[in-house]
Amino acid sequence: MDNLNFLYQFFGSDFIEKYTTVPQLIGILGYLVGVSAFLQRNDNAFRWQLTIVNVIMTLHFYLLGPESYPAAILNIVNIFRNVTSTYTKNFLAMFFFIALMWIFYFFTTPDWKQFINYFSVIGTTLVTIALFRFEQQKMRLLILLSSALWIIYSLWIGSLGSLAIEITFALINIITIIKLSQKSRT
């Protein structure tokens, strides 16, 4: 899609009809659960709630169809990644999940030559690094960068739930980063 034509396709005249389907409503459910995850200041609670979001979003992306299968696969890997990162910060475990994401991604991506398709896997890689290697503000800053990539990708594939999640996550994440920063100063 050339020259931001995908924005028109996302916000076109059939917006209500296109985005009130079962897959989109499941994505909105993921959004609602996800909001509470990013309000968490406790890193472990954050990881567990993020895992629930990944379960819901796996179903959402799968139901959206083949163009979204890579995102569904990434969310499946993320379920196990989130749980593992709660118990270990092992460098090899982190690399295992990153390698797994990229391998599955290449097997499921409809057109791996289109650069836009890399936004989701790069964003997910950033979250994996954040969960395994960082805490508090640093972890959330890397996740914020991931959200920017996922916002673009969500527009591209037409996922209302994912778009809402990432925009809201970015805003809540910024607020949480500020609060954590203020807390660390006192």
Side-chain angles (χ1 to χ4, degrees), residues 27 30-32 34 38 53 57 147 160-170:
Y31 163 74
L32 295 173
F38 275 84
V53 173
M57 294 309 289
S147 286
L160 184 61
S162 181
L163 179 64
I165 284 172
E166 295 303 335
I167 289 172
T168 305
F169 282 7

Side-chain angles (χ1 to χ4, degrees), residues 7 14 19 35 40 60 62 102-103 108 142 148 171 174-175:
L7 283 175
D14 62 345
Y19 296 106
V35 168
Q40 286 293 330
H60 164 71
Y62 176 76
W102 281 88
I103 289 167
T108 60
L142 209 49
L171 294 173
I174 290 167
I175 292 166

